[in-house]
Every structure is written in structure tokens, then in C-alpha cells.
């Protein structure tokens, strides 16, 4: 399977799951009761914490840089740290950004979208590298399946 096919399958699965999450049966016997009217108040955010005023968050999205239901999104944007760790690993880790260093625990699939990244992982079954000059360093010499659309992507041992 090519890297593009893998990514398309992943995106399709996530979109389908999100679409189905909001579905309910028309024959539902659950009575939600009368509609509630809510009011909201704005409170000052904790120092360095996210905004609670309904605007953009001032902190990293809680889904970033953590493993939730076997999926972790490691974002390396302009205002993000260039070095991160996910010591317990995750089933699937997406690395998005360039010129970053990431240290992972055991992981089944690593997807790298960007250039010149270094990912240290004790073991991995599959690597999808969509950029150039990325290095995946393993603790052992077991070679994972490598799918790549770029050049200079390597899997090596530490």
C-alpha cells in the first residue's frame, strides 16, 4: 500500500468516525426532556492556561502531544518546541512539522509529514515518511515497513 493510500484511508476513517459520532436513531426511545436555556460567563484564564472566553486557545490543543485512543498528533509549528517526547508511545503517531526531534515509547505506526525530522523509537512496525531527509532511529535492527514519497528518508539503529 502506498503512503498516499495509507493517508487517504486514515483520513477517510477519521472523517467517517466523526460523521457517525453525531448520528442518532429516529426510533430512539430516550426522551431528552425540555430544552435547557444556558447562560455563560467569562472567567479569566489561569496563568499560561487556555482561554475560557470561547476564543482561540492560548495553550496547545489537548489532543496534541498526547495519546488518545491509540492516536497521537505531534505538532511542530512555528511557535511549538522543536523537541518533544511521548515516553509511553502510542499505536499511531503523526509527526507534523520540520526540523524537529521526537522521542517515543513503543509505537506501531509513525507517520512523518515534514522535512529533516528525527524520531527515536524503541520499535515500530511501519513508517510513512511524506517529506525529505527524515531519520527514524530504532533500538534494535528490526526493519519496519517503510513507505515514502520523499527522498533521503532513513530507518537506522541507535
Amino acid at each position: 500500500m502506498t503512503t498516499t493510500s495509507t493517508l487517504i484511508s486514515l483520513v477517510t476513517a477519521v472523517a467517517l468516525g466523526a460523521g457517525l459520532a453525531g448520528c442518532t436513531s429516529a426510533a430512539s426511545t430516550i426522551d431528552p426532556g425540555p430544552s435547557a436555556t444556558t447562560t455563560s460567563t467569562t472567567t479569566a484564564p489561569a496563568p499560561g492556561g487556555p482561554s475560557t472566553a470561547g476564543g482561540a486557545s492560548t495553550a496547545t490543543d489537548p489532543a496534541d502531544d498526547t495519546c488518545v485512543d491509540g492516536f497521537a498528533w505531534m505538532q511542530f509549528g512555528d511557535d511549538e518546541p522543536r523537541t518533544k517526547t511521548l515516553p509511553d508511545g502510542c499505536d499511531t503517531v503523526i509527526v507534523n512539522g520540520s526540523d524537529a526531534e521526537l522521542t517515543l515509547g513503543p509505537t506501531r505506526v509513525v507517520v512523518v509529514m515534514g522535512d529533516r525530522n528525527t524520531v527515536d523509537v524503541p520499535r515500530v512496525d511501519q513508517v510513512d515518511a511524506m517529506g525529505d531527509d527524515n531519520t527514524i532511529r530504532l533500538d534494535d535492527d528490526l526493519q519496519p515497513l517503510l513507505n515514502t514519497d520523499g527522498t533521503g528518508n532513513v530507518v537506522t539503529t541507535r
Side-chain angles (χ1 to χ4, degrees):
M1 181 185 298
T2 66
T3 302
T4 304
S5 297
T6 302
L7 186 57
I8 289 171
S9 297
L10 181 64
V11 170
T12 301
V14 170
L16 181 59
L20 292 177
C23 293
T24 59
S25 170
S28 176
T29 59
I30 299 173
D31 180 10
S35 292
T37 303
T38 60
T39 59
S40 68
T41 58
T42 302
T43 58
S51 169
T52 57
S57 173
T58 58
T60 302
D61 182 330
D64 288 354
D65 303 338
T66 59
C67 184
V68 177
D69 296 330
F71 184 82
W73 183 266
M74 305 301 289
Q75 182 70 33
F76 293 94
D78 292 336
D79 296 329
E80 297 280 336
R82 306 317 304 159
T83 302
K84 295 184 180 181
T85 62
L86 190 63
D88 294 330
C90 198
D91 183 69
T92 301
V93 176
I94 306 288
V95 181
N96 187 32
S98 295
D99 301 308
E101 293 184 24
L102 177 61
T103 302
L104 300 172
T107 301
R108 193 177 62 81
V109 177
V110 174
V111 179
V112 181
M113 299 185 301
D115 302 320
R116 299 169 308 280
N117 295 296
T118 300
V119 179
D120 290 329
V121 60
R123 68 176 187 272
V124 65
D125 295 332
Q126 178 178 328
V127 175
D128 298 336
M130 309 217 194
D132 297 322
D133 303 315
N134 295 295
T135 301
I136 311 301
R137 298 186 302 200
L138 306 174
D139 283 349
D140 56 40
D141 59 358
L142 297 175
Q143 290 297 307
L145 173 65
L146 174 62
N147 298 310
T148 182
D149 286 340
T151 60
N153 296 308
V154 295
V155 176
T156 186
T157 56
R158 294 190 244 187

